[in-house]
Every structure is written in C-alpha cells, then in structure tokens.
Amino acid sequence: MTELAELPGYLIRRLQQLAVSMFVTTMGEAGFDLTPVQFAAMTVIGQEPGIDQATLASRIAYDRATIGGVIARLCQKGYVARAIKPENRRARVLSLTTSGEQVLAQVTPMVMSVQTEILGDLTDSESAQFLDLLRKLVAGR
Amino acid sequence: MTELAELPGYLIRRLQQLAVSMFVTTMGEAGFDLTPVQFAAMTVIGQEPGIDQATLASRIAYDRATIGGVIARLCQKGYVARAIKPENRRARVLSLTTSGEQVLAQVTPMVMSVQTEILGDLTDSESAQFLDLLRKLVAGR
DNA sequence: GCTTCACGATATGTATACATATCATACGAC
DNA sequence: GTCGTATGATATGTATACATATCGTGAAGC
C-alpha cells in the first residue's frame, strides 16, 4: 500500500503549499497584495534595472510565457514600468517605479520573517541542515 | 541585498518545480498522461473506494473546488467512476474503474523510482535526514 | 537588398490552487 | 410540515506553471 504522506514528492508539495499560504497571509494582513512570484520578480528587477523579460524569467526559474502575465499585473499595480528597448525593439526593458521601490522596501523585511516562520518548527541547527540539503537538491538542476 | 536563491521559500518552490517536472517526464516517457495530483487522487480512491469528493480533498490536502476538475479529468480518461450516493444525494461516491486499477498498478512503481530520483543528489543518510525534517515541517499544519 | 533564421514576446490551451458565490439537498428545530 | 442552517458540489475569477504556436523584429548569409 502506497503511503502517500511518506513520499518526498507529496511532502514537498505540502510544504510549498504551506509556504505560499504563509506568504500570502502575511502580505494580506499588512495590506499588500503580492504573491511570492511577484515579490521575486520585483526583487530581481530592483537588482538589475533594465533587465528584459526572458532574462528575468531565467533568473527566477520561470517560464517565459508565465512571466508576461506576472509583469502585466505588476505594471497594472503601478510597481513596474515596461519600455521597448531601443537597441533591440523586440525586447522590453523593466524597471521599478518609485511606488514599486517603496513597496519592495516595506515588504522585504516581512518576507524575511515569513522565511523564519516557514522553518518555525525546526531548531536552528535543523534549519541550517534543511537549508543545506535544499540547496544541494536544487543546485544546478 | 536580498539573495533570492538563499531564501527557504524560493528553494522550496524550485524543488517542487523539479519534482513535478520529473514526475510528468517519467510518466510521459512511459506513455501515461498523469499528473502528481491525479496520481494522489487515484491512490486514495483505490485505498478508500466509495469516498466522497470532500473527504478525498482533505486526505490529500486539496481544495474542494480544485478536486472537482481533477476528478472530472480522471473520469474522462476512464480511470474513475462517479455516482450519486443514495443515502446522501448531495454527495458523489468515487471508485476506480478496472482500467484505473490497472493503470495505478503499472504507474505506482514508477512513482516510487521518481521519489528516489528527486533525492538523487543526496546520500542515504542525507535523504533520511531530509525526509525527517520535511515530515516535521508539514506535520499537523 | 532579400531571404532565412534566431530571438523576444504574446496568445492559446491544459492543469493546478484557492477564495467566494451559488445551488441542491439533507437535517434539525419548532 | 415548513424553515433555517449545514453540507457537498459546481461555477467563477485570479494567479501561477508550462508547452506550443504565432507574430514582430533583428541579424546573418547570399
């Protein structure tokens, strides 16, 4: 008999579910309407202003098709500006608006505390161990 | 500066992404068209024939609204049968068809090998450790 | 200079994931 | 026995996630 709850794949999905739910709840309680993906996109755009959509997608391991919608929603919220790149009119360069920069600054500390919350049931040494193994599993793949 | 790739939430999402992709690829190569959720649903239905949709959803930590579509697709493939429960005409009881049972039997060993593949980069002791911590993080939440 | 090919993005279709609204049915209260 | 409430399911809307097709644009080859 297959004990679903013992399978790594099942447990990983559950943890991802919990992490997203904590993220969205925390944001919502603070009055922000941001998903994990939107936060990741804004963080990278803040670090590399002028990045194009395809490069952004690869930075955060997303599909190029998906990122379009994410960016569209961030533009609609007024957090991200999109402009056609002069040297390569096929590409669109992205940057944070002033409002986007402010929101990102406010939200980043909350995201950090959510990270602690996700690992809340572990001791410090267990957390470090878990992160090590996570990094090893994701590295390069 | 926020190093996205160091955040637990980000690493968990990436691992989930990898796990799903390995699952779907393995199934596809073997000629089966099954997602992880569909496999989970079929496994539980096989274990508890006659289960209703809401109970099934809670067993695999899914939304009741989502499970409807999952079941609909499994019915369309001919793997699951859905019937109105006589004692409670609001509910629908689920069971595997003969074809569904056969597919589940064929697919289960492959799913087990995918689990090993997901943890492929870890030693046996690291895998056990990782599973322990995963269980601890998910337990009860 | 024109064609072909590559590349960036959008469009479309399938499958989760979840909140909320709605609908049908069942059940308890009176 | 009718009413209000609880329950099981579907419908709708938003947001990923990804494959594939398509379109616009740029670049290389001739």
Side-chain angles (χ1 to χ4, degrees):
Chain A
M1 148 140 163
T2 311
E3 205 37 83
L4 220 53
E6 291 298 310
L7 301 186
Y10 177 82
L11 291 167
I12 291 165
R13 175 174 74 74
R14 293 279 291 119
L15 183 56
Q16 155 75 357
Q17 222 175 17
L18 287 165
V20 171
S21 143
M22 289 180 200
F23 186 105
V24 172
T25 302
T26 303
M27 288 299 133
E29 282 168 358
F32 294 101
D33 179 29
L34 268 193
T35 66
V37 186
Q38 290 169 6
F39 169 76
M42 285 179 70
T43 300
V44 172
I45 295 172
Q47 288 168 358
E48 307 179 48
I51 196 172
D52 65 284
Q53 290 190 187
T55 309
L56 170 60
S58 75
R59 286 273 189 290
I60 56 180
Y62 265 74
D63 200 275
R64 281 185 310 166
T66 304
I67 217 74
V70 175
I71 297 300
R73 281 179 285 275
L74 287 173
C75 287
Q76 212 186 345
K77 290 186 218 276
Y79 297 163
V80 167
R82 181 155 49 171
I84 289 179
K85 193 173 190 171
E87 317 93 87
N88 183 353
R89 293 174 44 76
R90 292 171 300 184
R92 279 151 189 72
V93 293
L94 306 171
S95 57
L96 293 182
T97 62
T98 308
S99 156
E101 276 172 6
Q102 282 168 1
V103 167
L104 185 59
Q106 286 179 275
V107 145
T108 299
M110 300 180 207
V111 174
M112 294 307 152
S113 85
V114 170
Q115 305 306 308
T116 316
E117 202 188 329
I118 292 172
L119 303 179
D121 288 351
L122 301 187
T123 65
D124 282 359
S125 120
E126 284 175 332
S127 291
Q129 225 170 56
F130 187 69
L131 269 180
D132 257 7
L133 295 173
L134 263 184
R135 254 186 244 110
K136 200 176 285 193
L137 284 168
V138 169
R141 303 208 272 184
Chain B
M1 146 140 163
T2 311
E3 204 38 83
L4 220 53
E6 291 299 311
L7 302 185
Y10 177 81
L11 290 167
I12 291 165
R13 176 176 71 74
R14 291 280 290 120
L15 184 56
Q16 155 74 356
Q17 223 176 17
L18 286 166
V20 171
S21 144
M22 287 181 201
F23 186 104
V24 172
T25 302
T26 303
M27 287 300 133
E29 282 169 356
F32 293 100
D33 179 27
L34 268 193
T35 66
V37 187
Q38 291 169 6
F39 170 76
M42 285 179 70
T43 299
V44 172
I45 296 172
Q47 287 168 0
E48 307 179 48
I51 196 173
D52 65 284
Q53 288 189 189
T55 310
L56 171 60
S58 76
R59 285 273 190 290
I60 57 180
Y62 266 75
D63 199 276
R64 281 186 309 166
T66 304
I67 219 72
V70 175
I71 297 300
R73 281 179 286 276
L74 286 173
C75 287
Q76 214 186 343
K77 289 186 218 275
Y79 296 163
V80 167
R82 180 156 48 171
I84 291 180
K85 193 173 187 170
E87 317 93 86
N88 183 352
R89 293 174 46 74
R90 292 173 299 187
R92 280 152 187 73
V93 293
L94 306 171
S95 58
L96 294 180
T97 61
T98 308
S99 156
E101 278 173 4
Q102 283 168 2
V103 167
L104 185 59
Q106 286 178 277
V107 146
T108 299
M110 298 178 207
V111 174
M112 295 307 151
S113 85
V114 170
Q115 305 304 308
T116 315
E117 202 188 330
I118 293 171
L119 303 178
D121 288 351
L122 302 186
T123 64
D124 282 359
S125 119
E126 283 174 333
S127 292
Q129 224 169 59
F130 186 69
L131 270 180
D132 257 7
L133 295 172
L134 263 184
R135 253 185 244 112
K136 198 174 286 192
L137 285 168
V138 169
R141 303 207 275 187

